[in-house]
Amino acid sequence: MQETLTSIVAEIFAEDDWGQTAQYIPELASIDPKQFAISVCTADGRQFNAGSTDKRFSIQSISKVFALVAALGRVGDQLWTRVSREPSGTSFDSVVLLEQEKGHPRNPFVNAGAIVTTDALLSGREPKLALAEVLGLIRQMSDCDDIYINDVVAASEQKTGSRNKALAYYLQSHGNLHNAPDLTLGTYFHQCAIEMTTAQLAMAGRSLAGLASAPRVISLQHARRVNALMMTCGHYDGSGDFAFRVGLPGKSGVGGGILIVAPKVASIGIWSPGLNHYGNSHAGTRAATMLSKATNWSVF
Ligand code: GLN
C-alpha cells in the first residue's frame, strides 16, 4: 500500500494541470493549487500516508457528510420529509431544481439540501451548540481533538456567499427553513470552514466504512444510507463520472478534499486544492482513480 501511494504522488506531480482553486471564496482562491496528500486507513487498523498529509485544509462540503450523520441522529427519518435522496444532475449551488420542486432540495449534499440539514441541527439551540455537535462528532470519528473551525474562512464565505443566501431565502419562502436565514447560514458557513488533514479525514471515514477500529458512532443502517448518498450525489453533477472512474462512495469539497469509503475494506482521505469544472478536486479525482485501479476496491 505504501508503495502504491508513493507512486500515486509521483504520478500526480508529473502532470502540469492542477485545476483551479475555488474562486468565489477569497480565502481559498489564493491557495497554491500544486499541493497533494493521500491517506488510507485499512481494515487491519493501519494507516498509510503520502504527500502533505499533515497539512490542514478547508473540508467545505465534506462537512455535509458529518452534518448528515448528526442530523440523522437528532431528527431521524423526519429529515427525509424536508430533503429528497435523488442525484441532482446540477451544480452544487444550483437554484433551478429548487424552484421546480417547490423548495424541496434533491439531496443533503447539494447546498440547498445541506442548508436544510444544518437548519434541522440548529432548531431549538444556539448555533455554537449545533457546531459543537458537528465538531465533536468529527473529533470522535477521527480519534483526534486537534480539529477546529477556521473563522477567517467562514467570514470570507459569509461576505461573498450570495448564492447560498439566495438558496436559504428561497427555502424560507417555501416554509422549508425553520430558523432565521442568517443564523442557519452562519452555522453552515462555519461548519464548512472546519479544517482537517487527510490523515484525520481517513480516520473519520472508518465508521462509514464499518472498519473494526472505528468508534461506534453510527448505526450500520445509517452508514449504508450515507454511503449510498455519497455514491449517487457526493460529487454533484460529476457523481456519475466519479462512480464510473472510482466505483466507491465519495464526498468532495471545494477546498479540494475528497473522503472515500471502501465498505469493510478502507477509508481514504485525499486533498489537492485545484478543482475541475464540477468543483471537485482535479488531482484528487485522478488519484482516486489510480488507487481504485491499483487496489480493485470498486464496489462494482
Ligand atoms: N461552503 C461551500 C459553499 O457553500 C461548499 C461547497 C462545496 O464544497 N462544494 O459554496
Side-chain angles (χ1 to χ4, degrees):
M1 178 54 59
Q2 191 59 52
E3 265 172 41
T4 303
L5 299 190
T6 307
S7 69
I8 286 174
V9 172
E11 226 177 297
I12 289 295
F13 276 92
E15 220 211 76
D16 291 335
D17 184 6
W18 287 80
Q20 195 183 34
T21 52
Q23 297 298 298
Y24 71 100
I25 303 176
E27 278 298 308
L28 300 183
S30 57
I31 291 172
D32 176 9
K34 219 177 159 180
Q35 301 185 74
F36 178 79
I38 184 164
S39 300
V40 177
C41 290
T42 47
D44 58 7
R46 290 194 290 169
Q47 181 169 35
F48 301 88
N49 293 291
S52 313
T53 54
D54 290 335
K55 178 103 192 225
R56 290 168 204 271
F57 62 89
S58 197
I59 67 168
Q60 292 297 320
S61 283
I62 301 173
S63 70
K64 295 170 180 172
V65 174
F66 304 113
L68 176 61
V69 170
L72 287 174
R74 187 166 198 234
V75 302
D77 282 344
Q78 266 185 352
L79 184 69
W80 307 121
T81 62
R82 300 178 62 187
V83 189
S84 302
R85 302 183 292 258
E86 294 298 339
S88 68
T90 57
S91 64
F92 61 84
D93 54 1
S94 171
V95 76
V96 172
L97 290 173
L98 204 55
E99 177 162 19
Q100 273 171 16
E101 295 172 3
K102 302 194 169 37
H104 199 95
R106 272 284 171 104
N107 64 67
F109 294 151
V110 288
N111 285 8
I115 291 168
V116 168
T117 306
T118 298
D119 190 61
L121 271 178
L122 181 58
S123 287
R125 59 182 168 181
E126 302 265 306
K128 65 177 176 202
L129 288 180
L131 285 166
E133 182 176 349
V134 176
L135 198 56
L137 177 70
I138 293 176
R139 287 174 176 169
Q140 201 184 352
M141 287 173 79
S142 41
D143 269 337
C144 180
D145 284 342
D146 189 24
I147 298 171
Y148 306 94
I149 294 171
N150 184 328
D151 291 323
V152 178
V153 172
S156 177
E157 189 173 3
Q158 203 132 22
K159 243 189 261 159
T160 57
S162 308
R163 291 245 182 121
N164 285 322
K165 288 175 198 162
L167 290 170
Y169 279 95
Y170 203 84
L171 289 163
Q172 188 189 41
S173 78
H174 280 285
N176 202 6
L177 201 78
H178 299 169
N179 298 280
D182 278 356
L183 281 189
T184 301
L185 284 168
T187 311
Y188 170 76
F189 291 141
H190 281 80
Q191 154 205 318
C192 287
I194 291 171
E195 292 188 334
M196 294 173 82
T197 66
T198 57
Q200 293 165 338
L201 193 59
M203 290 288 277
R206 292 170 306 159
S207 305
L208 291 168
L211 303 189
S213 63
R216 289 179 203 286
V217 291
I218 172 168
S219 70
L220 179 64
Q221 189 197 40
H222 279 172
R224 281 198 178 126
R225 290 176 163 184
V226 172
N227 290 341
L229 289 165
M230 284 169 69
M231 177 69 96
T232 51
C233 315
H235 282 69
Y236 319 110
D237 44 342
S239 298
D241 195 51
F242 190 84
F244 182 86
R245 287 174 195 275
V246 181
L248 294 170
K251 181 75 208 81
S252 67
V254 290
I258 308 180
L259 171 64
I260 301 172
V261 173
K264 306 282 174 238
V265 176
S267 164
I268 302 144
I270 301 182
W271 171 65
S272 183
L275 308 177
N276 61 23
H277 69 277
Y278 301 118
N280 303 320
S281 175
H282 174 76
T285 306
R286 286 185 60 226
T289 308
M290 291 177 210
L291 183 66
S292 165
K293 201 169 164 195
T295 56
N296 257 323
W297 284 346
S298 166
V299 299
F300 298 109

